[in-house]
Amino acid sequence: MLLLSEDQTRDALPFPDLIDALAEMFRTGCEMPTRHHHDMEVPGEPDGTMLLMPAWLPGGFAGVKVVNVMPGNSKRDLPAVAAQYLLSDARTGAMLALVDGGELTARRTAAASALAARYLARSDARHLLVVGTGRLAANLVAAHMAVRPIEEVTIWGRSLEKAEALARDLRVRFPVAIQAAASLEDALGNADIVSAATLSTEPLICGKAVKPGTHVDLVGAFKPTMRESDDDLIRRARIFVDTREGCLSEGGDIVQPLNSGVISKADVKADLFELCRKEHPGRQSGEEITLFKSVGAALEDLAGAILAYRNAER
């Protein structure tokens, strides 16, 4: 059985290939039972979450990811997400690979955002704003650069010091202009793509600050109690999701405005299945604001794990 470290998993999942692999899996589909979602009490800290995410291609590959999401790790300078992915042969049951789940999760999450941006961001989008300074931030920059001609990146975080440190690190890795922002409102008004990856329970992305034509990508807030966007943005934007089942039950950016009557289920225009199968055209004008909400799906992990296994085997 292959054991893929964090570095080996990263090397086996280049973003252009990973985005294409996700597109193909959303187009063709796989078996994907409802994931297990369990809150875990952590005394003196916010609750952690354990996720069990199975998926399989009949007669092909099967896999399951075990994920622990621990918000309190931010105070320990540790990643909030710890995970492993076990890939097996769906015909024989043989265990094929244990893939670093944290790197797989970070890269497939960013790749799903970039896949959505293929359909929803303007083709000339050049200025990317990343909201959040965690592990996903650098991956979101790399993934969006794989699908749009990004020339400028702005980083905003609750800690300006952390945002500036991340900007310095990213300047070494990417050949574009990169800076930290002290004002989120000002940064929102200048961005073509806004990609937020936080564990916020209060809205950060205000609709009044977002200019026409912007694509907003909401990656964090994976629980109904969490939220990154306000009602004004939800009202102004055309809404898309990774999966309807997941976002209508788990993503607070969709669940909360649904429960309050701000939107209805009909306001969710399409998911990635429909976009990848060309059942919806995606962005339809240069002036509309598009919003993509993701909570993650087991088929994304399966697609990424298969790609990592095949690349590592080669």
Side-chain angles (χ1 to χ4, degrees):
M1 183 172 73
L2 286 176
L3 299 177
L4 300 186
S5 68
E6 179 178 324
D7 289 343
Q8 290 169 322
T9 300
R10 182 183 307 114
D11 292 343
L13 294 174
F15 276 114
D17 293 346
L18 180 55
I19 294 165
D20 287 343
L22 293 190
E24 179 63 14
M25 188 68 84
F26 273 107
R27 188 183 68 80
T28 58
C30 69
E31 297 297 321
M32 187 172 56
T34 302
R35 65 185 175 187
H36 295 256
H37 188 289
H38 304 283
D39 290 335
M40 297 191 298
E41 181 183 359
V42 182
E45 298 181 11
D47 286 352
T49 305
M50 177 184 287
L51 302 171
L52 305 175
M53 302 173 65
W56 61 88
L57 291 168
F61 294 92
V64 62
K65 186 171 73 173
V66 180
V67 185
N68 294 325
V69 183
M70 314 303 289
N73 277 355
S74 61
K75 297 180 180 178
R76 291 181 279 268
D77 289 325
L78 293 173
V81 178
Q84 292 291 337
Y85 194 93
L86 181 62
L87 183 71
S88 59
D89 186 312
R91 185 174 299 277
T92 68
M95 304 300 176
L96 300 176
L98 186 66
V99 182
D100 183 85
E103 189 64 22
L104 172 64
T105 301
R107 294 185 78 81
R108 67 80 158 152
T109 301
S113 290
L115 175 59
R118 276 184 176 175
Y119 298 97
L120 302 177
R122 294 196 327 268
S123 60
D124 63 348
R126 288 177 167 79
H127 188 171
L128 170 66
L129 167 63
V130 175
V131 179
T133 58
R135 181 176 190 169
L136 270 173
N139 287 286
L140 288 165
V141 174
H144 281 295
M145 286 181 66
V147 298
R148 286 295 181 265
I150 302 299
E151 297 175 350
E152 184 177 359
V153 176
T154 300
I155 306 293
W156 181 89
R158 294 185 189 276
S159 166
L160 180 57
E161 182 179 359
K162 287 184 177 180
E164 290 174 337
L166 177 58
R168 286 194 298 271
D169 176 64
L170 295 180
R171 288 188 201 110
V172 177
R173 300 168 58 182
F174 300 106
V176 297
I178 301 176
Q179 67 278 321
S183 168
L184 178 56
E185 184 174 356
D186 290 345
L188 287 170
N190 293 319
D192 300 318
I193 299 174
V194 178
S195 192
T198 74
L199 298 177
S200 180
T201 57
E202 298 294 334
L204 295 170
I205 315 300
C206 298
K208 67 178 183 180
V210 175
K211 68 181 181 181
T214 301
H215 172 57
V216 179
D217 170 44
L218 302 179
V219 178
F222 63 93
K223 289 184 179 182
T225 55
M226 297 175 172
R227 193 160 183 190
E228 294 180 309
S229 62
D230 69 356
D231 283 348
D232 185 39
L233 178 60
I234 292 295
R235 290 189 186 97
R236 294 181 65 196
R238 289 170 58 83
I239 301 169
F240 300 83
V241 297
D242 58 350
T243 67
R244 290 180 185 271
E245 181 180 4
C247 286
L248 291 176
S249 62
E250 297 179 19
D253 290 285
I254 305 299
V255 172
Q256 291 184 35
L258 275 175
N259 290 342
S260 65
V262 171
I263 59 170
S264 69
K265 291 182 179 180
D267 289 311
V268 177
K269 302 303 181 184
D271 60 18
L272 279 178
F273 291 104
E274 294 162 305
L275 290 171
C276 291
R277 293 168 183 172
K278 299 184 178 180
E279 295 170 3
H280 190 285
R283 173 175 287 273
Q284 294 180 280
S285 80
E287 293 299 302
E288 68 181 349
I289 295 172
T290 54
L291 183 150
F292 175 69
K293 174 60 191 166
S294 64
V295 294
L299 71 79
E300 298 167 9
D301 296 303
L302 180 61
I306 293 170
L307 177 63
Y309 171 70
R310 286 173 169 166
N311 282 343
E313 278 277 276
R314 286 197 288 269

